[in-house]
């Protein structure tokens, strides 16, 4: 078995500081004696070593999965060792959670796929959490060419992404859609090549952003890109999640009533805006508020209840008040509501999908049409490069339309690792307004939360 000192020797910053045969306490003592820069360096180097070790793990998990198929029966590698599936064996050997083991199996199988394509069977479909919007016209054993995934495999093998990031991008992008029925062979070939190129470009873009985004952000971005590239599939996926909406309550063993909610996309986004509007001062909202709102924010910040308790009380207040509630009494000066962004072409045609300003969740055009009827629109004119018109130094603050554009572009706070949505952020000048004569232009503006 590997000893801790042998593992520490693989980390450059520790290699010359730990003698052979050193015990765990000795290694701990050396690490505790590091200065700040040394501690950061060791953690970074340990992460690089861990990525390489993880690649070995996921490859082995993929091999085990290949040798533990249903066709292998009880003679399969996992089954012969008393496990029902490869993930179960990987979980036991790795001492990890069930979801982590399943992810290692998925990533391992993906790494072992042939570069030129892969064969999809009923077994692999069952193990990959098939999405309702994924193409399903191919026969179970019909080869499906997916060269675009090689971009992701290369990124994982080079260390550009971890297996968790790889899995988030791969599952988020999903499978490219099939060509429409009735296409000629030539049109089908053109369609397939165009789609593969688009998916490959999307994968490359997400790989490039991986070092600056969390796993959760990558997954969200991948799903959003997929819906923009495949709006028809986006509608199917939206409807499938809508059908799964549910609410139920039950009593736990202590007699306390509990509840579980499965949201559809629009309902979840709406409830997010409700809680964001009510709890923004507690969660780090903007500082630029009028005196009345500032006093209200200070009162809320001093409230002894936790955020979860405030959310619970707010939800019950909304249920009690219903449609007769005075919005300002519940939400304060800024009423909650979903703001959607939908592109309009020069000829006036609307994009087939829209995105929420907070979170960039994609919604079908039919939802956007309903919101237009209910609340109207705000027009933002952009130039040929897609940038909203700039203000220069004529205005100290970014205009409302510019702020909408920043929200669509940035999706929220752009500080590394921060997940604050756009409604929590302030529009700042990258070049300071006074000291550096900063311009109030989109390309020199950025959304940042109060922190």
């Amino acid at each position: 078995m590997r000893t801790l000192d042998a593992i520490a020797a693989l980390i450059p910053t520790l290699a010359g500081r730990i003698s052979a045969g050193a015990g765990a306490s000795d290694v701990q003592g050396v690490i505790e004696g590091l200065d700040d820069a040394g501690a950061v360096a060791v953690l970074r180097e340990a992460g690089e070593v861990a990525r390489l070790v993880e690649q070995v793990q996921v490859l082995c998990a993929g091999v085990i999965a290949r040798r533990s198929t249903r066709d292998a029966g009880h003679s399969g590698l996992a089954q012969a060792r008393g496990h029902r599936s490869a993930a179960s064996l990987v979980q036991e050997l790795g001492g990890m959670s069930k979801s982590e083991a399943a992810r290692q199996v998925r990533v391992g199988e993906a790494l072992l796929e042939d570069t030129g394509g892969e064969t999809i069977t009923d077994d692999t479909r069952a193990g990959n959490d098939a999405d309702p919007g994924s193409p399903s016209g191919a026969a179970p054993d019909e080869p499906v060419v997916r060269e675009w995934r090689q971009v992701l495999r290369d990124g994982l093998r080079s260390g550009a992404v971890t297996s968790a990031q790889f899995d988030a991008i791969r599952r988020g992008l999903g499978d490219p859609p099939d060509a429409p029925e009735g296409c000629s062979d030539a049109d089908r070939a053109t369609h397939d090549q165009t789609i593969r190129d688009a998916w490959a470009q999307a994968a490359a873009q997400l790989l490039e952003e991986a070092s600056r985004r969390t796993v959760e952000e990558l997954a969200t971005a991948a799903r959003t890109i997929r819906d923009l590239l495949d709006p028809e599939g986006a509608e199917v996926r939206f409807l499938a999640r809508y059908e799964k909406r549910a609410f139920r309550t039950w009593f736990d063993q202590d007699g306390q009533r509990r509840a579980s909610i499965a949201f559809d996309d629009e309902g979840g986004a709406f409830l997010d805006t409700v809680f964001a509007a009510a709890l923004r001062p507690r969660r780090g909202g903007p500082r630029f508020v009028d005196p009345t709102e500032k006093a209200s924010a200070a009162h809320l910040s001093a409230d002894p209840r936790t955020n979860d308790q405030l959310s619970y009380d707010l939800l019950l207040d909304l249920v009690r008040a219903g449609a007769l509630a005075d919005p300002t009494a519940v939400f304060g000066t800024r009423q909650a509501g979903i703001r959607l962004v939908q592109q309009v072409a020069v000829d006036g045609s609307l994009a087939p999908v829209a995105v929420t300003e907070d979170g960039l969740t994609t919604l079908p055009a039919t939802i956007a049409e309903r919101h237009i009827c209910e609340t109207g629109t705000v027009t933002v004119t952009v130039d040929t490069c897609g940038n909203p018109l700039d203000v220069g130094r004529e205005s100290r603050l970014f205009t409302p339309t510019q702020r909408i554009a920043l929200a669509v572009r940035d999706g929220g706070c752009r500080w590394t690792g921060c997940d604050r949505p756009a409604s929590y952020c302030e529009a700042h000048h990258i070049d300071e307004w006074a000291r550096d004569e900063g311009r109030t232009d989109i390309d020199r503006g950025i959304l940042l939360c109060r922190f």
Side-chain angles (χ1 to χ4, degrees), residues 44-386:
R44 181 182 295 111
E45 293 163 2
E48 293 171 356
V49 172
R51 289 190 185 195
L52 296 175
V53 172
E54 189 180 40
Q55 281 199 41
V56 175
Q57 284 184 305
V58 298
L59 283 170
C60 287
V63 170
I64 289 174
R66 274 188 170 183
R67 300 175 183 177
S68 306
T69 61
R70 292 180 183 175
D71 294 339
H74 293 293
S75 62
L77 196 159
Q79 294 88 330
R81 285 162 174 75
H83 293 271
R84 297 183 62 183
S85 66
S88 176
L89 176 57
V90 171
Q91 180 182 7
E92 179 185 274
L93 295 175
M96 60 189 70
S97 67
K98 185 176 181 179
S99 60
E100 174 68 13
R103 179 176 62 77
Q104 287 209 352
V105 168
R106 285 196 305 271
V107 175
E109 288 180 312
L111 273 179
L112 295 175
E113 290 172 355
D114 294 332
T115 303
E118 68 174 321
T119 299
I120 301 298
T121 65
D122 289 336
D123 288 344
T124 55
R125 277 201 181 95
N128 284 333
D129 296 336
D131 194 305
S134 299
S136 57
D141 295 321
E142 179 182 346
V144 182
V145 178
R146 292 176 181 151
E147 294 92 339
W148 66 272
R149 288 188 173 175
Q150 189 61 32
V151 176
L152 291 181
R153 298 187 199 104
D154 292 342
L156 180 59
R157 293 191 178 106
S158 68
V161 291
T162 64
S163 63
Q165 292 171 322
F166 173 96
D167 193 48
I169 296 173
R170 185 175 181 269
R171 300 184 75 186
L173 288 178
D175 296 329
D178 289 334
E181 294 184 5
C183 282
S184 65
D185 291 342
D187 289 341
R188 184 179 300 276
T190 301
H191 171 276
D192 290 346
Q193 186 59 53
T194 301
I195 287 295
R196 287 199 297 270
D197 289 346
W199 252 252
Q201 184 177 352
Q205 175 184 331
L206 291 167
L207 285 175
E208 194 274 329
E209 297 178 2
S211 62
R212 304 187 300 275
R213 288 180 177 263
T214 64
V215 173
E216 293 78 13
E217 288 176 331
L218 282 174
T220 299
R223 288 193 296 268
T224 299
I225 292 174
R226 178 189 186 182
D227 287 344
L228 292 172
L229 293 176
D230 177 26
E232 292 184 4
E235 178 94 20
V236 174
R237 291 185 287 273
F238 169 82
L239 293 175
R241 288 188 292 269
Y242 183 78
E243 289 300 317
K244 293 180 180 178
R245 70 195 188 283
F247 172 77
R248 69 185 183 92
T249 64
W250 72 93
F251 290 97
D252 64 16
Q253 60 184 6
D254 296 321
Q256 184 167 15
R257 184 185 291 274
R258 296 185 176 273
S260 172
I261 304 177
F263 290 101
D264 68 283
D265 296 352
E266 184 186 11
F270 176 73
L271 199 64
D272 281 344
T273 65
V274 170
F275 289 125
L279 302 179
R280 192 173 291 108
R282 291 284 290 264
R283 293 177 172 175
R287 293 165 296 179
F288 303 142
V289 294
D290 59 43
T292 301
E293 190 171 2
K294 190 171 184 179
S296 176
H299 177 72
L300 181 61
S301 298
D303 195 301
R305 289 173 291 177
T306 66
N307 284 354
D308 287 344
Q309 290 171 333
L310 284 167
S311 298
Y312 173 84
D313 292 342
L314 170 63
L315 184 60
L316 285 190
D317 286 343
L318 290 172
V319 172
R320 292 190 184 101
L324 300 179
D326 176 8
T328 58
V330 179
F331 303 114
T333 57
R334 177 168 175 169
Q335 186 177 1
I338 301 175
R339 183 148 65 182
L340 300 180
V341 181
Q342 188 176 27
Q343 294 181 359
V344 183
V346 176
D347 62 3
S349 60
L350 298 175
V353 296
V355 296
T356 60
E357 181 184 85
D358 281 355
L360 299 183
T361 300
T362 53
L363 294 172
T366 52
I367 301 298
E369 291 172 4
R370 175 156 51 80
H371 278 269
I372 289 173
C373 292
E374 294 173 351
T375 60
T377 62
V378 174
T379 301
V380 181
T381 304
V382 299
D383 61 21
T384 55
C385 296

